Amino acid sequence: MNNRPNQEPEKSYALYRHQETVKLFESKSDPEIWSAFNQGDEMAFNYLFRIYTPLLFRYGCQFRVEEALVEDSIQNLFIYLRKKRGDLSQVSSIKAYLFKSLQRELFKHLKSDKNRVAIEEDDPLINFQLELSAESSIIENELNQEIQEKLKHSIESLTSRQRQAILLFYEEGMSYKDIAEVMDFNEVKSARKLIYRAIATLKACMDQQGKK
Amino acid sequence: MKSLDKHWKYEDYQLEDFLADEFFVEWIKNPNDNNKHFWEKWLAEHPEKRKTVLLAGDMLRRFNYKNAPELSDKSYLDIFEKVIRESPQVVITTSQPKKSFRRWLFSFRQIAAIIILGFTGWLIFELSKTKIEEEKPKEFFSEMVKRNAAPGTKLTFILEDGSKIFLNAGSELEFPKTFEEGVRKVKLKGEAYFEITEDTKRPFIVNTGQLEVKVLGTSFNVKESQNGELSIALVSGKVQINDQKGNQLMLDPKEMMVFNAEGEFFKAGFDPLEMTGWKDKILVFSSDSIEEVENKIENWYGVQLDVKGNFPDNWAYSGVYNDEMLENVLRGISLSSSHIDFTLSGKKASITYQ
């Protein structure tokens, strides 16, 4: 699944505007881009930085840590990767790899900070807050409003791991394989099950509300 | 759920099955030719599923991060700069002096740009030979042709032997209408990209005034800067370079040699886009000072650019423009800082830092 984001021209990142590097790489596969980066290709680094930094930042902030810590972690991650060039192993999904690495970096900092109350990786209340966007869509469905109301109530019954999986799947456009990597599952099957369970929970909640 | 079982077909899918299907989610979130083709066809075949499919699409589109802060431009650039400073560019070459190298390591965007040249002792020998030959049979020589690319224009042309020349703005190439027998010789001022047709019997020699480059068949860029720096970037083929001190150097593809005005040289990798992008109408700024930006723009667009106000000493600009109008370039630069404004009217432009 190609989960690289479509370009959003309204983004104002100074370096984001110059799209030629992006054009050079956007048709290439993740392993090709990664291997170019590993071989010291600065354009490949530029591409990775431009595409993934904003996404990493948004993802890192889902753990409800200070934004500055997320920024530092992104910085450390890229410094580490650039230093390791030539020695990096193959990566099949760059996004999953980077997300996972950022997560590790974040938790490393959190653990080393003794003044901080430990934040659980799976904090049911705060991590990965999910929201239903209100924007109206292509659907010409009179049930729309009703379904939306039900959905809103239903998402409250999801665990934070389920919310994380749902967001990775729908918002980040990741495959089950990517999700398994990011969430440290040994098997893709586990990611699939997590999503199924989340959807089943949503459905059950909605059905129940429907009966009322 | 049905999609757990591979034998189920899409026509048996319920709402939750669509919601859990990777290929379906991909179509909704990242439509491309492949998934669009399938799903549009499939929907046409299964109008009874239309409502369910649209509902599933609508639902999954609505799941969003509640907390989605955007990285500020300032933080983005801070991180970028720190990453670059902390982790030097990987260097593929071996023979550059440390001093000049360090400059590259710490340059902001550090896509090293410069190149190589020199000439072979063998070449000098060859040259002295050619010179003698040149003087004797002058009247038999083919008529010399001069092609000039005025500022703001670029020229592409084919020589008699089939070699293709891209002449950058503000540059001049002098060559015979018909090459003589043993050698193909041209004179360059400024910058040109050469795609030389292979001819082992007639080496191709580029004379820049201070140096000569000799090749048999290859693609390379030769650039003589106003500060006396000369760079040769080899895209393909092979070039042998000897300087006057007797150093002998080989240039491999993707390497470049830079000679400064004092005759010192070093070898580095280069970014093809930056070095040769100009031939494809790609204007590249790489950590350029305001003077470099001014020179590039004046030459590229054939305009007069007035620089006003005091640009900070450490001001540098990086950017890539593919066949863009001047206005867009100026706008791009002005957007890099809230201190920068520009004006443009006809052949006159100004850029102000305040």
Side-chain angles (χ1 to χ4, degrees), chain A residues 184-200:
Chain A
D184 264 331
F185 293 130
N186 291 328
E187 292 182 83
V188 176
K189 210 164 61 184
S190 312
R192 216 178 272 271
K193 276 190 186 149
L194 186 59
I195 299 266
Y196 286 164
R197 237 177 286 131
I199 294 171

